[in-house]
Amino acid sequence: MSNFLEEDIEKVLFSHEQLEKRIKEMGEKISRDYEGKYPLLIAILRGAIMFIADLSRAITIPINLDFMVCTRYGSKDQPGRVRILKDLELSAQGRHLLIVEDVIDNGDTLFYLSNTLKLRKPASLKICTLFDKPYRRRAPIQADYSGFIIPDRFVVGFGLDYKEKYRNLPFLGTLKPGLCRAPGETAEEQK
Ligand code: IMP
Ligand code: MG
């Protein structure tokens, strides 16, 4: 096991500065779009921690913040099943909901979550993701706000993990070959 996380990184895809700059733009756009609407931002833990911390501070209008934790099972050939481990503490009814996610891959997680939240009769529901991998999408899910389209690779850092490691890297990068799974396998198979 290496002593320094950075030794495991093959390539930095986006530096901390690039991420901060893009998140600031996203925050400005959300502030304009939701002016007067007092949205409820729902960050999906744990992957979205860094993103929500920066995004919420880039938003200049009043918001509420809440968190959900969910877990996913399944394989590349099977539709995933999603389970909520921690639900909202605030009521979603009548609210303008904005789900804040780290990355969308096949879309199962957000498909399940958005269907669950729609049952609570929100005024609106949109999706904001920092990273988007559109190649393996099988659920009809599209981000309303998307920071970066990234290659079909397993990525870590800035909140994203591999087996709960690498979340604290300040940038987004790919792992050296042999250190992670092949594209298409789900994160949960490796946990
Ligand atoms: P989906 O259900 O396939 O869209 O997967 C979304 C979830 O899988 C994300 O919230 C992440 O937790 C995880 N995930 C997908 N791709 C990656 C990746 O490249 N690195 C780390 N986590 C990932
Ligand atoms: Mg996640």
Side-chain angles (χ1 to χ4, degrees):
M1 191 159 95
S2 53
N3 285 321
F4 296 98
L5 283 181
E6 294 200 16
E7 290 170 10
D8 293 355
I9 298 302
E10 181 183 56
K11 190 171 171 222
V12 175
L13 297 181
F14 299 106
S15 68
H16 193 191
E17 292 69 32
Q18 286 173 302
L19 295 173
E20 277 183 325
K21 183 167 175 278
R22 181 73 183 117
I23 295 171
K24 189 137 200 313
E25 290 170 1
M26 296 173 84
E28 286 164 4
K29 172 111 178 64
I30 289 168
S31 304
R32 287 195 298 275
D33 292 354
Y34 283 91
E35 200 184 335
K37 291 189 169 161
Y38 199 25
L40 169 55
L41 270 66
I42 301 170
I44 310 305
L45 297 180
R46 291 177 287 272
I49 43 169
M50 308 293 176
F51 183 34
I52 191 65
D54 285 350
L55 181 71
S56 59
R57 288 179 293 179
I59 293 176
T60 51
I61 56 165
I63 59 164
N64 282 154
L65 252 190
D66 206 345
F67 303 92
M68 286 178 91
V69 182
C70 60
T71 184
R72 237 190 70 198
Y73 319 85
S75 72
K76 58 181 181 233
D77 317 308
Q78 242 191 335
R81 283 157 292 164
V82 183
R83 194 156 57 96
I84 294 174
L85 301 180
K86 185 217 168 287
D87 208 334
L88 293 179
E89 283 166 38
L90 303 177
S91 168
Q93 192 178 352
R95 299 297 307 268
H96 292 283
L97 307 182
L98 183 60
I99 304 179
V100 178
E101 174 66 304
D102 52 356
V103 54
I104 311 178
D105 187 7
N106 63 39
D108 286 347
T109 307
L110 280 177
F111 184 64
Y112 177 84
L113 276 181
S114 47
N115 285 340
T116 302
L117 290 169
K118 276 179 202 158
L119 295 174
R120 302 182 188 178
K121 302 189 172 39
S124 70
L125 187 147
K126 286 189 175 175
I127 292 169
C128 175
T129 190
L130 183 53
F131 305 112
D132 195 352
K133 296 198 280 191
Y135 321 96
R136 296 172 198 285
R137 203 61 50 77
R138 60 184 170 201
I141 282 292
Q142 242 188 319
D144 299 282
Y145 301 92
S146 163
F148 300 91
I149 308 281
I150 61 170
D152 190 14
R153 290 287 308 271
F154 194 79
V155 290
V156 294
F158 207 73
L160 284 81
D161 72 307
Y162 175 64
K163 295 189 175 178
E164 291 306 322
K165 200 171 163 188
Y166 306 106
R167 291 195 198 274
N168 58 321
L169 281 171
F171 52 78
L172 187 85
T174 51
L175 284 174
K176 286 182 178 162
L179 286 178
C180 73
R181 67 201 175 112
E185 293 176 57
T186 65
E188 289 64 30
E189 287 166 324
Q190 302 289 319
K191 277 182 183 161

